[in-house]
Amino acid sequence: MTKKILILPGDGIGQEIIGEAVKLIKHLQTHYDLQVETEEALIGGTAYDATGKPLPKETLELAKQADAVLLGAVGGYQWEELDIAVRPEKGLLGLRAGLGLFANLRPAILYPQLADASTLKPEVVAGLDIMIVRELTGGIYFGQPRGIRELENGEQEGFNTLVYKESEIQRIANVAFDIARKRDSRVCSVDKANVLECTELWRNTVMGLHERNQDIELSHMYVDNAAMQLVRDPKQFDVMVTTNMFGDILSDAAAMLTGSIGMLPSASLNESGQGMYEPIHGSAPDIAGQNIANPLATLLSVAMMLRYSLDESELADKIEQAVSDVLDDGLRTADIYSDGMQKVSTTEMGAAVIDKL
Ligand code: NAD
């Protein structure tokens, strides 16, 4: 049956990297008989400029009808002064909430060809393969009440609420246990149970669920220690599961271990397996429009989409192999460039991956 993909380029380099992904999808349709229909819609600052909203109703409706959503990135300097309710990032948060995408899977894999691109010693990171499972629709980013209020003495006070229900913790922990089962069967749950009651409940709930997942080795770590261990000895981890905010921060740190956030894809899934796929980086306004952004994270997001939402694991494997082959050939965008390699543009890198297919 023909599956539907909604394509949301968004802002900044989003336009350029999604351009390469669209060429890849067209290639798969023509040469591998991939049965998909694609449609494009607005999100982020571009959507705000056109409609006054970072997530137009039409975009959310199309996303709900799609089997998978492929997103570039949102945000940019020109929208930073807008009211927080209509900033580009709200479009993304609204989409995640609207689709119920509670599980964010962020692999941090170091391609051996790029071991030198990491700021850590090659022996510390070579062969790194971590999966960070981040809760995406709860926690402090969504908790109520929130805001900035004025106190009686005229001083302003900002406040947010960290809140998790047992059921929210259980469903994300279940995803982590399931993924670990297909990998090295180890889960490290990250919390701050010594200070935050909400994450004390997190730890107790994960421990409770573990009783039914005894084939998985479970450990717990406070988030400050986890941040330190990620830099000291990242290969000790297999699957890490954590809250929305801790996952946001730790997954960016893990990403940097691999040398470039331009290399890392992500998947966000809901309970019915519908998914949104996007590179983990932002809209990189500092390099937008220059044809120098790394498109590989986005092409690898297409691979994740094929695997998790479109039931096309073989094609996913082919894309991942093509990316590895292109790196073997010494092709590098500026962010992963090192001496002796061949520096290429966004479009040249995209074309090289398609050539390898
Ligand atoms: P960023 O990820 O956009 O950029 C951080 C640094 O990495 C920049 O120097 C950038 O040039 C570089 N970079 C990022 N992607 C790259 C790629 N594919 N190739 C080469 N270099 C790349 O993060 P930021 O600078 O903190 O944020 C910029 C904007 O993006 C902000 O408006 C922010 O809110 C937004 N943002 C969006 C998302 C998203 O859409 N998922 C995620 C993070 C940040």
Side-chain angles (χ1 to χ4, degrees), residues 37-291:
E37 268 171 28
T38 59
E39 189 154 6
E40 214 172 290
L42 295 171
I43 191 162
T46 319
Y48 174 81
D49 288 347
T51 68
K53 296 197 178 96
L55 178 62
K57 227 186 215 162
E58 192 201 354
T59 300
L60 183 57
E61 277 315 306
L62 286 170
K64 284 181 176 167
Q65 289 156 23
D67 295 287
V69 177
L70 182 67
L71 177 104
V74 298
Y77 308 133
Q78 64 270 52
W79 300 291
E80 276 172 8
E81 299 302 315
L82 288 176
D83 185 90
I84 197 161
V86 290
R87 281 204 206 137
E89 294 74 12
K90 274 282 171 193
L92 191 51
L93 294 178
L95 198 55
R96 286 172 182 165
L99 294 178
L101 302 171
F102 71 94
N104 184 218
L105 317 187
R106 289 192 177 201
I109 296 172
L110 184 69
Y111 282 84
Q113 302 94 321
L114 298 179
D116 285 341
S118 173
T119 47
L120 296 196
K121 294 187 192 111
E123 64 267 27
V124 176
V125 287
L128 180 76
D129 182 359
I130 307 177
M131 178 68 89
I132 297 191
V133 178
R134 166 187 169 196
E135 200 291 325
L136 203 60
T137 49
I140 199 162
Y141 291 177
F142 292 95
Q144 295 287 348
R146 60 191 298 152
I148 299 173
R149 62 191 163 207
E150 197 168 298
L151 300 175
E152 275 175 14
N153 67 1
E155 192 186 358
Q156 291 205 320
E157 178 182 67
F159 57 101
N160 289 87
T161 304
L162 173 60
V163 55
Y164 272 114
K165 288 200 278 271
E166 271 181 293
S167 54
E168 288 175 291
I169 303 167
Q170 280 165 347
R171 67 179 182 178
I172 193 74
N174 266 324
V175 170
F177 287 134
D178 285 347
I179 288 176
R181 201 161 277 124
K182 295 182 194 128
R183 297 170 46 100
D184 197 30
S185 297
R186 291 181 294 123
V187 169
C188 176
S189 171
V190 177
D191 59 46
K192 189 72 181 168
N194 52 341
V195 179
L196 301 169
E197 288 81 354
C198 181
T199 68
E200 191 186 340
L201 178 71
W202 177 283
R203 184 175 289 216
N204 293 338
T205 307
V206 174
M207 273 162 50
L209 201 66
H210 183 233
E211 284 169 19
R212 281 182 270 138
N213 290 275
Q214 287 291 313
D215 54 323
I216 306 294
E217 185 186 314
L218 174 68
S219 59
H220 303 271
M221 207 176 265
Y222 296 139
V223 64
D224 42 343
N225 186 26
M228 197 169 74
Q229 294 300 330
L230 264 181
V231 188
R232 195 185 72 85
D233 176 21
K235 283 191 273 181
Q236 69 182 282
F237 297 111
D238 178 26
V239 174
M240 299 175 92
V241 61
T242 191
T243 64
N244 201 343
M245 182 164 73
F246 294 164
D248 191 5
I249 299 164
L250 291 180
S251 56
D252 269 17
M256 214 42 233
L257 300 175
T258 70
S260 170
I261 60 174
M263 290 299 302
L264 296 176
S266 77
S268 306
L269 307 174
N270 66 14
E271 272 168 303
S272 55
Q274 196 188 20
M276 179 157 89
Y277 300 84
E278 55 180 318
I280 69 150
H281 57 73
S283 57
D286 53 334
I287 59 165
Q290 298 175 35
N291 194 24

